[in-house]
Amino acid sequence: MSANDNYLDITPSEDCGKRSDKWKRHEFSGFLTENGVSAALANTVLELCRAEKRPEDPIEFIRERMRPDNEDVAEIRSYHRKIEGLRTRTDELRAERDRLLELKRRIQSNYARQQCDDADDSDTTDDDAFSLRDRNKRFNKHVERSLTKHYAAWINFTAAAGADK
């Protein structure tokens, strides 16, 4: 036997094995086609390709499409709806927070501007402002004492007027 004869002896047995594998794949392919698996997979992969937004988990995407009546899918969809609701609420709360922060900033700015305007109107320095506050306190105490004195005088007057009757 020559080297070529050995080669021929090996090739047919390997070829038969390959034919056998091809035949098994063909039978399996027929099985998948007859039971609608090939069409379902093709449609699902096509749907995945056509999706505008790629899913975060393509395997989960395929699993959902292959068994849409699966209890897990319903639960997952429920969670997805809850998550979307929470995201919407979070966005609303962030917008409200931003609105309130802007309002706070404007109030503080207006208050600071008013303080500057008050200080500019009096043309005072910090020392003058302190003495101005001190004088303001003294003035308020003076007004309070005067009012108390005048109130006491009014009570005495009405008491005297009532006694005269």
Side-chain angles (χ1 to χ4, degrees), residues 101-113:
L101 286 173
E102 176 60 22
L103 181 62
K104 177 185 172 188
R105 187 195 61 74
R106 287 195 338 229
I107 289 171
Q108 288 174 337
S109 176
N110 288 340
Y111 179 76
R113 191 177 307 118

Side-chain angles (χ1 to χ4, degrees), residues 8-138:
L8 292 174
D9 289 340
I10 296 172
T11 305
S13 64
E14 286 180 358
D15 192 35
C16 290
K18 286 182 183 178
R19 285 186 190 156
S20 174
D21 287 344
K22 285 181 183 179
W23 179 251
K24 287 179 186 177
R25 278 187 250 144
H26 178 70
E27 280 183 345
F28 188 69
S29 177
F31 168 75
L32 293 177
T33 304
E34 287 172 15
N35 291 296
V37 175
S38 296
L41 275 173
N43 289 335
T44 303
V45 171
L46 191 60
E47 189 177 342
L48 180 61
C49 288
R50 291 180 179 164
E52 288 182 26
K53 182 181 174 188
R54 300 280 186 215
E56 291 179 22
D57 186 354
I59 292 176
E60 182 62 27
F61 179 90
I62 291 170
R63 188 173 78 82
E64 287 178 3
R65 298 321 187 270
M66 295 302 292
R67 296 205 46 204
D69 58 338
N70 189 346
E71 292 175 12
D72 293 340
V73 172
E75 186 177 1
I76 290 169
R77 285 186 181 140
S78 169
Y79 287 131
H80 283 293
R81 283 192 298 275
K82 286 179 184 178
I83 289 169
E84 283 305 312
L86 292 171
R87 283 183 181 149
T88 301
R89 181 68 177 137
T90 300
D91 291 343
E92 291 169 357
L93 290 173
R94 282 185 180 142
E96 179 70 9
R97 179 202 61 197
D98 292 345
R99 188 186 67 76
L100 291 172
L101 286 173
E102 176 60 22
L103 181 62
K104 177 185 172 188
R105 187 195 61 74
R106 287 195 338 229
I107 289 171
Q108 288 174 337
S109 176
N110 288 340
Y111 179 76
R113 191 177 307 118
Q114 182 64 38
Q115 293 298 319
C116 289
D117 289 348
D118 290 348
D120 288 344
D121 290 344
S122 63
D123 292 330
T124 60
T125 63
D126 286 342
D127 292 336
D128 292 338
F130 179 74
S131 64
L132 184 62
R133 272 187 257 129
D134 189 46
R135 280 186 280 172
N136 198 9
K137 284 181 186 177
R138 280 186 271 143

Side-chain angles (χ1 to χ4, degrees), residues 136-147:
N136 198 9
K137 284 181 186 177
R138 280 186 271 143
F139 175 75
N140 286 339
K141 284 183 183 179
H142 170 71
V143 169
E144 192 176 317
R145 272 188 252 125
S146 295
L147 287 173

